[in-house]
Amino acid sequence: MRESDERTEGGPPDDPERPEWDQWVDSLMERMAEDAERVADGDLSEAEFHAKYHEDRARMAEEYAPDREAPPLDPDDPEWEAWAEEILADTEYDTELGIELARGARRVAEGSLDEAEYHENHHAETLAEFGVDDRPTRAAAADASLLDGGSPPEAPDGSSLPGVPGEDDPTRRSLLKGAAGVGAAAVGLSAVQQASRSVAADDGGSNPDSDVQMGMAINTERCIACLQCMDACNEENDNPSEALWMTVLRYEEDDYTDNEEFLTRPCQHCSDAPCETACPTNARYTREEDGIVLTDYDQCTGCRYCEVACPYGVNYLQWADPGEAGEAFDHDTEVGGVTAAGPAPQGTMGKCTFCAHRQDSGDEDLMGTSACEDVCPVDAIHFGDMNDEESAPRQHLSEDIGDQPTYKLLEEMGTEPNVVYVGNEPSPTATQVDGPTGEDEHGLTRERPGRDEIELGSHGGDD
């Protein structure tokens, strides 16, 4: 019998604090990875794979399962406000302001609030709290101040305010709390903002203003929850254990079948991203050349406003110092002149970057690829330009899925996500269950303060 055919060697230890527990977890993950390859090769069925590891997964779910409920999606719901308050309470910044900026950013995405009006709202409070107000973009602020021959806005000491991503000398985030008193010239109303955004083509990207829109097609019908994508993401970005940028969610439908379904959830890299709209310093930005949404670590204050503005639950405050893990990052942390690749420094926000360091590497073997796609043994993840009919995701959607349905997660919220899912969309009554979600079962972390599950159902109606 193959070594991987042995379920366990005596089962897991009773005490998860013992070193033997971690050894058992490591061994289990190795065996799961090996058997995932057997599934891909056709030597092991998916049913056999799940049956083989069901008991071990249940044991780890008991240990790592989070005792948390999914936050409400409706920002007008008192429950959502209570959830947001809990998230923001851990920061030094104004909780009420963060809630209002996040709530407004959601309304901008859904089209019920004009961007110019949003920018005017709470300007005084934002300026007082952060010393700058770059909502919704630094470019808007700079262009507005340069009208009629004006000069770029300056801080009271005469230094420049945080610059547009790509400038040679962006200010450090230490300035952001010390530049109080900046005048209204920094408001930057929507003179250079789009009045509206076009709806994405059914199988293409959501960015109508760029020839390139990087995105993914993820086939949930193929996913076997082997969690190799999570391993690869953490290893690629040298993230510490509590910073999980890729998650495999497990859920069940209310159909009396008890069937387990899986949803692989990276950042959706939305073309109308509420996280970007809500960021007071515009540390969160979208690259014009490929539509990837990134965080300028040098500008980020760690206020977590992006986290409560995002409906997908993919933003993470880096609580710990990455330490040796961050030092092991093998790529350039600067992409397009901005420090936005690799592990987020302590006290800043991190998330999936679509491996931007690969896209800017100049290496033809790395450009157009992502770590999670590379390791998926069942070819469930397809990464590339959603505007290119010859790209991997577009080819998969046009040639490989037959009559399988496709959808975008929470698309009705107006965020214009650039990840297309293949398979049945989670219904409004879908229930997220404990493990295997990577964070619960993978042994990467046992406690992540302030992190909550997301609501899986992406339908707005009651049907």
Side-chain angles (χ1 to χ4, degrees):
M1 179 179 293
R2 294 165 52 114
E3 180 180 353
S4 64
D5 286 330
E6 296 290 338
R7 189 187 66 79
T8 63
E9 296 180 2
D14 293 332
D15 183 3
E17 300 302 323
R18 291 170 54 192
E20 290 84 354
W21 173 273
D22 291 334
Q23 296 171 6
W24 177 78
V25 169
D26 291 340
S27 174
L28 177 62
M29 296 311 301
E30 290 177 3
R31 289 182 283 113
M32 286 179 62
E34 182 179 346
D35 278 343
E37 295 290 347
R38 295 176 63 194
V39 173
D41 294 338
D43 296 332
L44 183 71
S45 72
E46 290 186 32
E48 290 173 323
F49 179 90
H50 291 303
K52 181 175 181 178
Y53 294 106
H54 178 78
E55 185 175 341
D56 290 333
R57 285 175 165 174
R59 175 64 186 94
M60 282 210 282
E62 291 177 4
E63 175 60 27
Y64 295 116
D67 184 18
R68 300 188 293 254
E69 294 182 357
L73 287 174
D74 183 1
D76 294 321
D77 190 327
E79 292 186 18
W80 178 90
E81 184 167 334
W83 166 80
E85 286 179 349
E86 182 179 354
I87 294 293
L88 299 177
D90 292 325
T91 75
E92 63 181 293
Y93 297 96
D94 189 331
T95 294
E96 183 177 351
L97 176 61
I99 289 173
E100 290 305 314
L101 292 184
R103 182 178 284 136
R106 293 277 194 94
R107 290 170 177 166
V108 169
E110 69 183 20
S112 63
L113 178 64
D114 178 72
E115 287 191 65
E117 181 182 354
Y118 172 79
H119 197 102
E120 289 187 59
N121 291 345
H122 312 293
H123 167 62
E125 298 96 322
T126 302
L127 202 58
E129 183 68 11
F130 292 90
V132 294
D133 181 8
D134 282 338
R135 298 171 301 129
T137 66
R138 297 191 187 111
D143 285 4
S145 65
L146 289 171
L147 293 177
D148 300 323
S151 300
E154 295 181 344
D157 62 1
S159 61
S160 299
L161 290 182
V164 178
E167 289 184 353
D168 294 334
D169 188 23
T171 350
R172 302 289 295 186
R173 59 180 175 271
S174 58
L175 168 66
L176 300 178
K177 290 289 284 184
V182 179
V187 176
L189 300 182
S190 59
V192 296
Q193 290 294 301
Q194 302 173 24
S196 62
R197 289 179 167 89
S198 301
V199 177
D202 288 344
D203 57 352
S206 301
N207 187 355
D209 297 323
S210 174
D211 292 334
V212 177
Q213 174 58 67
M214 302 305 285
M216 285 182 173
I218 299 179
N219 196 320
T220 61
E221 297 298 307
R222 294 185 178 183
C223 178
I224 59 174
C226 66
L227 309 184
Q228 289 195 61
C229 57
M230 296 200 48
D231 248 350
C233 179
N234 258 28
E235 182 177 353
E236 177 81 11
N237 293 284
D238 284 297
N239 277 329
S241 60
E242 65 270 14
L244 300 178
W245 293 355
M246 171 70 88
T247 304
V248 180
L249 301 174
R250 174 188 174 197
Y251 68 96
E252 294 178 350
E253 294 287 359
D254 185 18
D255 57 7
Y256 306 104
T257 64
D258 293 328
N259 290 334
E260 298 175 356
E261 306 289 346
F262 306 107
L263 181 72
T264 303
R265 187 201 62 189
C267 172
Q268 307 292 294
H269 290 268
C270 305
S271 291
D272 199 346
C275 62
E276 178 180 356
T277 306
C279 181
T281 65
N282 207 7
R284 182 64 52 84
Y285 68 100
T286 300
R287 302 209 306 183
E288 293 184 1
E289 62 266 33
D290 54 18
I292 295 178
V293 180
L294 297 174
T295 305
D296 183 344
Y297 296 146
D298 290 332
Q299 305 290 18
C300 180
T301 66
C303 67
R304 302 183 79 177
Y305 291 3
C306 60
E307 183 173 354
V308 294
C310 172
Y312 298 102
V314 297
N315 291 276
Y316 300 85
L317 176 64
Q318 183 54 268
W319 296 94
D321 185 347
E324 294 182 2
E327 295 173 2
F329 186 63
D330 293 331
H331 309 275
D332 194 342
T333 58
E334 287 197 4
V335 288
V338 182
T339 306
Q346 186 176 24
T348 64
M349 302 301 297
K351 68 171 192 66
C352 159
T353 66
F354 271 174
C355 291
H357 55 278
R358 290 190 176 203
Q359 315 319 316
D360 288 16
S361 66
D363 186 335
E364 293 185 358
D365 292 333
L366 293 177
M367 296 170 64
T369 70
S370 68
C372 57
E373 177 191 38
D374 282 351
V375 301
C376 181
V378 292
D379 203 25
I381 302 173
H382 305 266
F383 174 71
D385 180 8
M386 302 301 289
N387 290 337
D388 181 3
E389 294 182 355
E390 301 301 318
S391 69
R394 291 290 297 276
Q395 287 289 302
H396 179 66
L397 293 171
S398 64
E399 298 180 3
D400 298 338
I401 67 173
D403 59 357
Q404 290 178 298
T406 63
Y407 65 94
K408 293 183 178 181
L409 195 62
L410 306 179
E411 186 175 18
E412 76 281 354
M413 302 193 74
T415 56
E416 300 181 18
N418 285 294
V419 176
V420 177
Y421 287 91
V422 179
N424 293 320
E425 183 175 11
S427 73
T429 58
T431 303
Q432 187 172 330
V433 295
D434 297 335
T437 64
E439 62 194 80
D440 309 328
E441 177 172 329
H442 207 188
L444 294 176
T445 180
R446 295 190 186 183
E447 182 176 354
R448 294 162 55 220
R451 295 303 311 142
D452 293 85
E453 303 165 2
I454 66 164
E455 185 172 321
L456 287 163
S458 60
H459 297 277
D462 298 325
D463 295 338

